[in-house]
Amino acid sequence: SAVISQKPSRDICQRGTSLTIQCQVDSQVTMMFWYRQQPGQSLTLIATANQGSEATYESGFVIDKFPISRPNLTFSTLTVSNMSPEDSSIYLCSVKVQGEKDTQYFGPGTRLTVL
Amino acid sequence: AQRVTQPEKLLSVFKGAPVELKCNYSYSGSPELFWYVQYSRQRLQLLLRHISRESIKGFTADLNKGETSFHLKKPFAQEEDSAMYYCALSGRGNTPLVFGKGTRLSVIA
C-alpha cells in the first residue's frame, strides 16, 4: 500500500489567484495522477504526472490552467491557475505502487472553494 | 473508449436485506475492475478488485465478461455499509482508473 498526504487539506481562494497543491507519498510509486471531484460528481482524471517531463493531460484540461510538476518518484504538485468559482472542487492525488499491480491509492484530497 | 456505467445514483435498502450495486463497463481489451468506497468524511479507499476474487466486509463482485458487468453484492446489508460506492476500470499496466458516477447506498435501520 501507500500513505499519501496532501497539502493543504482545504483552502478558500479569491477569483483570479492561483493555488499549488502538494502530494507526498511514502513509498516508491510507478505512476502519479491528479483527479478532480466536483461537488456531487464522480472523479475525473486531470493528468498523469510524469517524472522529469511534462504531464500528460486529459481532454478538457490544459497545462496553462493546471501546471503539474513531478521532480522525483514520491512528490508532485498541481497548480490551479487563475481560479474561478467553477474550479471549486476536491482535488485528489493518486498513485500506483511498485509491486502492487494495477492498484491505485488515493490521497485525502484538497477541498478548494473559489469565491 | 473506456466507460463505466453505474445506473443507480441512490440505492436504499433495509438492514439485513440483500444489496446489489450495478456496474457495467465498455473496454476493448482485458480490463481490471475495481470497487472503491467512500464513507462520510473519509478518503476514497479500495474495497475489492476482480483479480483477487476476495470478499471484503461481506461484499463480493464477479466479473462477467459476456455481460460486461461487475456488480457488487452483499447478502445482508449493515448500517455501516452506508457510503458512496464507485466502480472503476483500468487497462493493464500504467493506465489510470476511469470511474463510474457512483452509487450512494443508504442502509435503513
Side-chain angles (χ1 to χ4, degrees):
Chain A
S1 65
V3 176
I4 305 170
S5 60
Q6 285 185 234
K7 288 194 291 188
S9 59
R10 59 176 61 218
D11 207 343
I12 300 173
C13 301
Q14 295 296 321
R15 181 195 298 260
T17 61
S18 298
L19 176 72
T20 295
I21 302 167
Q22 297 180 7
C23 175
Q24 180 73 54
V25 189
D26 71 338
S27 53
Q28 298 283 314
V29 298
T30 55
M31 304 295 291
M32 294 183 81
F33 310 101
W34 287 98
Y35 286 79
R36 179 174 74 181
Q37 187 174 26
Q38 293 178 300
Q41 304 294 318
S42 185
L43 286 82
T44 301
L45 180 66
I46 297 172
T48 300
N50 300 308
Q51 185 196 359
S53 65
E54 192 172 290
T56 306
Y57 289 85
E58 297 299 304
S59 176
F61 297 95
V62 295
I63 187 171
D64 290 344
K65 177 67 176 177
F66 297 102
I68 288 171
S69 78
R70 188 181 173 192
N72 57 52
L73 286 174
T74 61
F75 184 79
S76 177
T77 66
L78 167 74
T79 299
V80 186
S81 302
N82 189 24
M83 289 183 283
S84 67
E86 293 71 37
D87 295 320
S88 298
S89 285
I90 298 173
Y91 292 86
L92 297 111
C93 176
S94 179
V95 305
K96 285 195 175 186
V97 178
Q98 287 181 354
E100 293 191 45
K101 186 184 173 191
D102 298 327
T103 299
Q104 263 182 249
Y105 297 94
F106 286 82
T110 296
R111 183 180 294 273
L112 170 62
T113 302
V114 184
L115 303 177
Chain B
Q2 302 176 67
R3 181 174 295 174
V4 178
T5 303
Q6 293 180 251
E8 302 140 329
K9 202 169 182 178
L10 172 66
L11 182 64
S12 296
V13 301
F14 286 102
K15 178 181 173 181
V19 175
E20 182 178 53
L21 288 81
K22 293 187 176 1
C23 172
N24 288 90
Y25 67 90
S26 173
Y27 187 73
S28 57
S30 296
E32 302 282 353
L33 274 297
F34 303 82
W35 277 99
Y36 281 78
V37 60
Q38 191 167 30
Y39 300 102
S40 179
R41 300 183 183 280
Q42 295 187 28
R43 73 174 69 188
L44 194 66
Q45 54 187 283
L46 177 66
L47 181 61
L48 52 81
R49 46 192 161 179
H50 91 270
I51 57 173
S52 300
R53 295 183 172 273
E54 56 202 344
S55 174
I56 304 294
K57 299 184 179 181
F59 285 98
T60 59
D62 290 319
L63 179 61
N64 186 323
K65 292 186 178 180
E67 295 182 358
T68 60
S69 68
F70 188 57
H71 303 327
L72 183 68
K73 299 178 184 178
K74 185 170 182 176
F76 308 103
Q78 302 299 314
E79 287 180 76
E80 55 265 29
D81 295 329
S82 295
M84 196 73 185
Y85 291 81
Y86 293 97
C87 183
L89 173 156
S90 172
R92 302 282 175 176
N94 294 327
T95 55
L97 287 170
V98 172
F99 284 85
K101 291 187 180 298
T103 298
R104 180 169 296 283
L105 174 64
S106 177
V107 181
I108 306 163

